[in-house]
């Protein structure tokens, strides 16, 4: 019996428990581990020192024009394209239902000639998925901005140990829920890592559609976030811990958004073998 079959034959309470253990409990455990391993130790500083010394009192990719172009332009292609298509799809999903055979026969005939009817019908059927991706991306972006503004953490290259002028601090030392701390630090969590991890929204769409390759989508999203975040670490823009914190934040935001759009039971259905 495989995992899906075992889940299918278990009690509703067990199914619910397993779902939240993996999708909520595990990320929260990762948050605790990240806090203990990085934020309560000097591990971030140790990694930063090694890279700084490796580059000869300079981060290895700090002045690399190619990587700077990559991190500011290339990394946004997939997320930006995804969000743009989701917005377009959301808008178009309201178009086809407006057409009535008795009043728009000529327009419908034209759309049939140019093979747009199946496309519009597909988009309409998946309206909830398009809207979910739009909302998930917006929440990820909004939460990232909120945390950056309300922690006021400076990038490594801006801090005193690495040639900057600002004090080095942990995010929890300066966090304010209701007020913005003074300063212009905007480096926690890792914004570029968040950009990559945000693709995890497509994983939840794949779960909802019971796509058998859903986990591959998840692995791609995680890999993108890790790669984007690691590059910024080598540039001295972020510490190591900023990447896992970005991943945890994106996962939790996207999970709760998916639950609001789809519900747990729909996300927990076994994949279809097509």
């Amino acid at each position: 019996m495989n995992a899906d079959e075992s889940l299918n034959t278990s009690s509703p309470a067990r199914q619910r428990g397993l779902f939240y253990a993996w999708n909520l409990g595990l990320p929260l455990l990762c948050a605790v581990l990240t806090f203990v391993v990085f934020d309560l130790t000097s591990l971030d500083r140790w990694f930063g020192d090694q890279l700084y010394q490796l580059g000869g009192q300079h981060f290895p990719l700090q002045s690399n024009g190619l990587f700077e172009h990559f991190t500011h332009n290339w990394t946004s292609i997939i997320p930006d394209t995804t969000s743009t298509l989701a917005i377009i799809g959301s808008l178009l999903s309201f178009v086809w239902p407006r057409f009535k055979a008795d009043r728009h026969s000529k327009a419908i005939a034209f759309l049939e000639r140019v093979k747009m009817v199946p496309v519009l019908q597909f988009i309409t059927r998946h309206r909830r998925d398009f809207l979910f991706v739009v909302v998930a991306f917006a929440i990820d972006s909004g939460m990232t901005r909120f945390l950056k503004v309300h922690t006021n953490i400076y990038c490594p290259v801006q801090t005193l140990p690495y040639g900057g002028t600002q004090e080095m601090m942990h995010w929890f030392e300066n966090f304010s829920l209701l007020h913005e701390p003074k300063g212009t630090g905007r480096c926690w969590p890792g914004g570029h890592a968040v950009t990559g991890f945000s693709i995890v929204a497509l994983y939840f769409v794949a779960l909802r559609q019971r796509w058998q390759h859903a986990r591959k989508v998840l692995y791609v999203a995680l890999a993108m976030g890790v790669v984007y975040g690691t590059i910024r670490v080598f540039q001295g823009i972020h510490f190591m811990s900023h990447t896992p914190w970005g991943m945890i934040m994106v996962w939790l935001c996207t999970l709760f958004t998916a639950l609001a759009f789809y519900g747990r039971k729909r996300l927990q259905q076994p994949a279809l073998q097509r």
Side-chain angles (χ1 to χ4, degrees):
M1 182 180 291
N2 61 35
D4 288 338
E5 290 172 340
S6 176
L7 186 63
N8 238 10
T9 58
S10 61
S11 67
R14 178 173 171 76
Q15 290 184 30
R16 182 170 60 251
L18 286 172
F19 179 86
Y20 286 113
W22 281 106
N23 293 284
L24 183 58
L26 184 58
L28 291 178
L29 176 60
C30 290
V32 172
L33 291 176
T34 301
F35 185 76
V36 172
V37 172
F38 286 99
D39 295 326
L40 296 185
T41 71
S42 58
L43 191 57
D44 262 339
R45 174 69 185 273
W46 184 84
F47 274 118
D49 288 349
Q50 303 310 304
L51 291 175
Y52 196 63
Q53 293 169 14
L54 179 66
Q57 303 303 299
H58 203 260
F59 284 95
L61 301 178
Q62 187 173 340
S63 301
N64 189 300
L66 175 62
F67 276 89
E68 185 64 20
H69 179 75
F70 173 78
T71 54
H72 273 93
N73 297 291
W74 298 353
T75 57
S76 63
I77 292 175
I78 295 177
D80 285 356
T81 301
T82 302
S83 61
T84 300
L85 291 176
I87 292 172
I88 294 172
S90 298
L91 296 174
L92 289 179
S93 70
F94 293 94
V95 172
W96 180 248
R98 302 289 296 178
F99 284 96
K100 306 298 179 184
D102 57 335
R103 289 189 294 171
H104 307 107
S105 57
K106 291 183 178 180
I108 293 174
F110 172 76
L111 292 172
E112 288 177 339
R113 281 200 306 273
V114 296
K115 310 298 183 182
M116 280 299 296
V117 170
V119 175
L120 291 174
Q121 290 175 336
F122 172 86
I123 291 173
T124 301
R125 286 197 304 271
H126 292 274
R127 176 187 300 162
R128 181 173 297 191
D129 298 327
F130 285 113
L131 290 172
F132 161 70
V133 173
V134 171
V135 173
F137 271 56
I139 291 177
D140 290 344
S141 177
M143 182 59 70
T144 301
R145 174 169 174 73
F146 174 85
L147 291 174
K148 285 179 177 290
V149 170
H150 286 258
T151 54
N152 187 35
I153 297 301
Y154 288 93
C155 304
V157 293
Q158 297 174 310
T159 61
L160 291 170
Y162 305 112
T165 59
Q166 304 295 330
E167 293 287 341
M168 181 183 295
M169 300 179 66
H170 289 292
W171 66 267
F172 59 88
E173 295 177 304
N174 208 33
F175 177 70
S176 176
L177 180 63
L178 301 178
H179 305 285
E180 297 182 13
K182 293 182 180 179
T184 57
R186 298 293 184 268
C187 274
W188 187 90
H192 283 71
V194 166
T195 298
F197 290 131
S198 64
I199 298 298
V200 79
L202 299 182
Y203 165 69
F204 286 98
V205 172
L207 286 182
R208 190 243 177 173
Q209 297 298 330
R210 304 174 67 182
W211 192 33
Q212 59 181 329
H213 300 295
R215 286 191 179 181
K216 294 180 182 178
V217 179
L218 173 62
Y219 298 151
V220 169
L222 295 179
M224 285 176 57
V226 170
V227 170
Y228 291 3
T230 301
I231 288 173
R232 297 302 269 175
V233 171
F234 275 78
Q235 289 180 302
I237 305 300
H238 289 293
F239 284 113
M240 290 285 289
S241 66
H242 294 190
T243 297
W245 276 124
M247 177 183 66
I248 293 164
M249 184 214 73
V250 168
W251 181 267
L252 293 176
C253 287
T254 311
L255 170 66
F256 288 121
T257 305
L259 288 172
F261 268 77
Y262 303 134
R264 175 191 61 82
K265 291 183 179 180
R266 189 62 187 266
L267 294 173
Q268 206 173 8
Q269 291 297 310
L272 296 173
Q273 300 301 317
R274 296 167 178 166

